[in-house]
Amino acid sequence: MQEELKKLVDDSDNIVFFGGAGVSTESGIPDFRSENGLYHAKQTYGYPPETMLSHSFYVQHKELFFKYYKENLIAKGVKPNDAHKALAKLEEMGKLKAIVTQNIDGLHQAAGSKVVYELHGSTLRNYCEKCGKFYDLDFIMDEKHCKDLVPHCPDCGGVIKPDVVLYEEMLDDEVVSKAVDAIRHADLMIIGGTSLNVYPAAGLINYFRGRNLVLINRSSTPYDDRADLVIHDSIGKVLKIDD
């Protein structure tokens, strides 16, 4: 772990980590806005990603929605990287109290983290819009449960929707409330792998009242001048805890 950051971590016992897509790109998951992200990739679907990942598009064009979703947002065979593992270790040590993430890949939990507030939901959870029953990722990816790529509940026939927050949808109130409470009571907040340009999620850091704010991102963010420590480098490299 970077030396100055290590000192702040050693002096803290109520740490919250707030992370974005950059945390998972080092596991091979593309983000949206970087040079190689999904927004800049050549698309063959006839609509921009922002449109296809909106609630109204989901309602009106379910087949194309699921085609794009399954081909671009489902991360197969990915593993937690050094950043995920370091955060899980800090939680195990009793220092890290919560992770607030904009990611939907479940890699924090795969690394062993227990307290994870997923602001934008998770691709690993899916629910029937009619009866409310939950299904895992393997179920909705199995073609035998799908009609024209759209998964249906075998119990009631309802459409199974990914438990992710689409454009035009509100964040989950309970998740936001718990995230705000964790941030408000933290003595150290580490923000990593995010440009802090996506709202309302980015606005949650305004609830931080603690001693030290750390920003780790490859590029600058609008909040750099408010941080006590800014590191423009690989988050996995910076957070890695030596065995």
Side-chain angles (χ1 to χ4, degrees):
M1 184 178 290
Q2 199 256 15
E3 196 60 38
E4 192 171 354
L5 174 59
K6 184 177 184 302
K7 185 178 186 306
L8 293 177
V9 169
D10 289 343
D11 292 341
S12 304
D13 58 11
N14 193 335
I15 304 170
V16 167
F17 177 81
F18 181 96
V23 179
S24 292
T25 53
E26 294 178 31
S27 289
I29 297 177
D31 65 4
F32 279 85
R33 292 172 176 79
S34 69
E35 182 178 350
N36 297 314
L38 295 177
Y39 280 178
H40 294 273
K42 182 180 179 181
Q43 301 299 337
T44 59
Y45 304 90
Y47 299 90
E50 299 99 321
T51 299
M52 287 186 287
L53 294 176
S54 68
H55 177 79
S56 56
F57 192 88
Y58 166 79
V59 171
Q60 298 166 13
H61 307 280
K62 281 188 173 60
E63 291 179 21
L64 189 53
F65 168 86
F66 275 102
K67 177 176 174 60
Y68 180 80
Y69 178 83
K70 291 181 179 182
E71 291 178 355
N72 292 274
L73 271 75
I74 302 303
K76 299 177 181 177
V78 295
K79 303 293 184 183
N81 59 52
D82 287 336
H84 298 109
K85 295 173 184 176
L87 293 167
K89 181 66 175 177
L90 289 175
E91 182 186 65
E92 184 182 319
M93 295 164 60
K95 287 187 167 291
L96 183 73
K97 304 304 182 185
I99 291 172
V100 181
T101 181
Q102 299 174 79
N103 297 335
I104 58 176
D105 49 52
L107 287 178
H108 285 296
Q109 292 93 327
S113 293
K114 301 295 191 295
V115 184
V116 183
Y117 300 127
E118 298 170 307
L119 297 175
H120 297 152
S122 172
T123 60
L124 305 184
R125 295 189 306 271
N126 307 271
Y127 64 94
C128 174
E129 293 186 291
K130 188 174 180 180
C131 71
K133 184 176 179 179
F134 274 83
Y135 294 91
D136 62 17
L137 179 59
D138 289 339
F139 186 93
I140 73 159
M141 295 299 288
D142 190 334
E143 291 186 7
K144 71 181 181 183
H145 302 302
C146 302
K147 179 181 179 182
D148 297 324
L149 295 178
V150 181
H152 287 79
C153 176
D155 292 345
C156 71
V159 173
I160 299 172
K161 181 182 183 293
D163 192 15
V164 298
V165 179
L166 302 176
Y167 289 102
E168 304 168 352
E169 294 181 342
M170 301 291 288
L171 301 183
D172 183 275
D173 286 341
E174 183 178 359
V175 173
V176 171
S177 178
K178 290 179 178 179
V180 167
D181 186 64
I183 292 169
R184 193 191 298 275
H185 290 93
D187 57 12
L188 169 63
M189 185 172 181
I190 303 173
I191 300 172
T194 173
S195 63
L196 293 174
N197 286 318
V198 178
Y199 287 84
L204 296 184
I205 71 173
N206 292 318
Y207 290 96
F208 178 62
R209 302 289 185 267
R211 296 194 305 268
N212 295 294
L213 178 65
V214 175
L215 277 171
I216 308 168
N217 200 49
R218 289 184 182 274
S219 58
S220 59
T221 79
Y223 287 80
D224 282 12
D225 59 352
R226 290 174 50 177
D228 300 283
L229 175 62
V230 177
I231 304 173
H232 291 153
D233 204 344
S234 156
I235 188 166
K237 174 183 172 183
V238 172
L239 288 181
K240 184 177 180 180
I241 297 176
D242 296 328
D243 295 328

